[in-house]
Structures are given as C-alpha cells and as structure tokens.
Amino acid sequence: MVAVAPLNGVLILSTPGRNPANLASERMTAVPRRSGPAREHDVRRVRDLVRAAILRLDFPDGALPGEGELMLSHGVGRATVRAALAMLRDEGLIERTQGVGTHVVVHTVTTHLDEAHGAAEPGLDSVLNRRMRPRVLDRSVIPLPSTVANRLGVAPGVPCLRLEYIGLLEDEPMVVATNYALFPEADRLVDAPFVSDWYALLADAGIELGDSEFLLGGMAADELTARLLEIPEHTPLLAIEQVISDPTGRPFDFAVILHRSDRFLFRSKAWRRRP
C-alpha cells in the first residue's frame, strides 16, 4: 500500500517500511507545489541559472534541455520553467519553436580580466587577439574636459585626442568606447591605422603600457546608444571607466566603455592574500 505524506510542503509518495535514508533523495526529485512569492523567486532563480549557462556557452550545439529535464534538475514545476524561459526569450537570448525545442540565439565572448586591462597578451582564441574591428565615430583633437582632467591629473583644457568607436565582432556591434588620450601619446595615434581593438592600436603605434584601472558599473542603454549597438532601448549594459598609465605611472588615457552585457563576459580569478 502506498501512502502520500507531506514533507516540508513537498508531497512525497512513500511506501510503508521504506528506508529513511532515501528520504533526502526523494526530497530532491519531488516537485514542490509553490505559489505566490515563493514561485516568483523560483522563476527568478531558474532564469538566472539558465541565463548564466547560456552566456558561458554551456550549450555548444545551441539546444537547451527539454522542460522535463529542467524541471527535474531545478526541482520546480512546469509552469515555473516556462515562465523562466519566457523571460529569457523576452531578453532575446533564446527562441522556442513548437516541435523543435528551445535554442540559444546569441553568441557571447569571454575575455580574461587581465587581457581586458591590457596587462596580459591575449590568447589565440581571445576576442582581443585582433578579432574585432572598429567603426570610428569621432577622431579629433579637443580641449580636455574637466571631468577627464581630474582623472588624468592634468589641467582642464589641455589638448587631447578624442577617439570614439564602435567595436564590431563578426559585424555585430559589441561595445561603444570613447577614449581621451593625452599628448605626446596622442601624436602617435592621430593618424595611426585603426584596424582592430584599442590595445592593438596602441601596440601598433609603439605605445608601451603601464597599469590599467577599471571602475565597473551598469546602466540602461539610452536611445542613441541602443541604436549604435542595435539593441532595444533600456537594455542593461556593462559600463567601464578606464585609466591607462605609462610605465612610469603617468596616466595618459581615459575611456568610457559600454559593453553589451548579453554578449560580453569577463573572467577573473584571484588568490587570497596571506598576511
């Protein structure tokens, strides 16, 4: 005879005399009945986990697991899985086709943070290994704005080179960047061929780098930035403020960089410092 017993809000099918050691496994495989705020949080969690897996390229063939597999692996009901997938579809990350399944429709790139800083040589498969190409929006000598002068430690109004561009990967806009470079480095950049990424331009111009500092944040794409990146307005962007110094520690370049957060990932690993 099979009995049904409630266990922490989860309905478990139980046979009298069953070994209690199996209850933990049963808890994991049973589908909870949840509603209201609890279900909303389940939807968010499933969305976050599947989204992270998509951006990590965990589905190399582009096909997501079926609803049943997602239900089992996340311990949620079908309605929760469908709601999470609907959110990912609204983000433009997946497409769902009846009779075919759910497929990823984005291609992301992952860059090690030290490469993004320009502090390490890019690997062969790195997006910074001359795989990108720029679409220049502005390349002109202007008086340095005061907000930039404060970050570079110079007087406002000194001449600088403003070089603004869209970074394209396989013709898809990935980033909008505006750099303000001081002289004498700017002398080498004014007419230098710009054919790939910013670090490649500096290297081709013979400019040696020292340290690089990032401030990372987020913002929603305004109407103009959305048009430049060919994304919907209000799409979340990764916003980076960067200061690059020469080998003596003198800052010479300030940049505001807006990355598509649905296409670009940074990988970082750190070790705990010992006293």
Side-chain angles (χ1 to χ4, degrees), residues 90-275:
D90 291 343
E91 283 189 57
L93 298 180
I94 62 172
E95 284 184 353
R96 309 201 69 197
T97 306
Q98 188 172 3
V100 176
T102 305
H103 287 79
V104 178
V105 293
V106 299
H107 178 69
T108 59
V109 293
T110 301
T111 300
H112 289 276
L113 199 55
D114 53 357
E115 293 179 0
H117 273 292
E121 292 298 321
L124 293 178
D125 60 346
S126 171
V127 68
L128 293 175
N129 191 12
R130 299 181 183 265
R131 290 175 55 195
M132 299 188 73
R133 66 180 183 86
R135 180 189 301 155
V136 175
L137 302 175
D138 178 69
R139 192 172 190 167
S140 56
V141 175
I142 65 166
L144 189 69
S146 59
T147 49
V148 179
N150 292 336
R151 297 291 284 123
L152 296 181
V154 298
V158 301
C160 75
L161 172 66
R162 182 176 62 200
L163 204 165
E164 186 170 56
Y165 64 94
I166 301 171
L168 304 169
L169 181 64
E170 298 176 355
D171 294 326
E172 184 175 24
M174 302 285 284
V175 58
V176 177
T178 308
N179 283 266
Y180 300 85
L182 298 178
F183 289 84
E185 287 82 3
D187 273 324
R188 301 183 182 185
L189 299 173
V190 169
D191 298 315
F194 191 11
V195 296
S196 184
D197 58 80
W198 182 251
Y199 296 124
L201 173 63
L202 296 178
D204 292 344
I207 297 174
E208 189 175 354
L209 307 186
D211 59 60
S212 167
E213 176 188 319
F214 278 169
L215 287 177
L216 303 175
M219 62 170 284
D222 58 88
E223 181 182 359
L224 175 57
T225 304
R227 290 206 309 268
L228 294 175
L229 291 175
E230 300 176 7
I231 55 177
E233 190 177 355
H234 307 304
T235 297
L237 300 175
L238 176 63
I240 301 177
E241 176 186 303
Q242 182 181 26
V243 174
I244 300 176
S245 300
D246 68 14
T248 71
R250 166 186 155 269
F252 72 88
D253 180 64
F254 174 86
V256 174
I257 310 163
L258 303 178
H259 280 280
R260 290 188 60 173
S261 59
D262 63 339
R263 296 290 193 274
F264 216 103
L265 298 179
F266 292 108
R267 185 182 302 278
S268 177
K269 187 175 183 179
W271 287 262
R272 183 178 179 84
R273 295 181 179 178
R274 301 298 180 184

Side-chain angles (χ1 to χ4, degrees), residues 9-11 31-35:
V10 179
L11 293 180
V31 176
R33 292 182 177 179
R34 293 160 70 87
S35 60

Side-chain angles (χ1 to χ4, degrees), residues 35-50:
S35 60
R39 180 179 174 273
E40 290 177 346
H41 287 302
D42 284 342
V43 172
R44 173 182 55 82
R45 294 185 191 106
V46 174
R47 185 277 314 271
D48 290 347
L49 291 174
V50 177

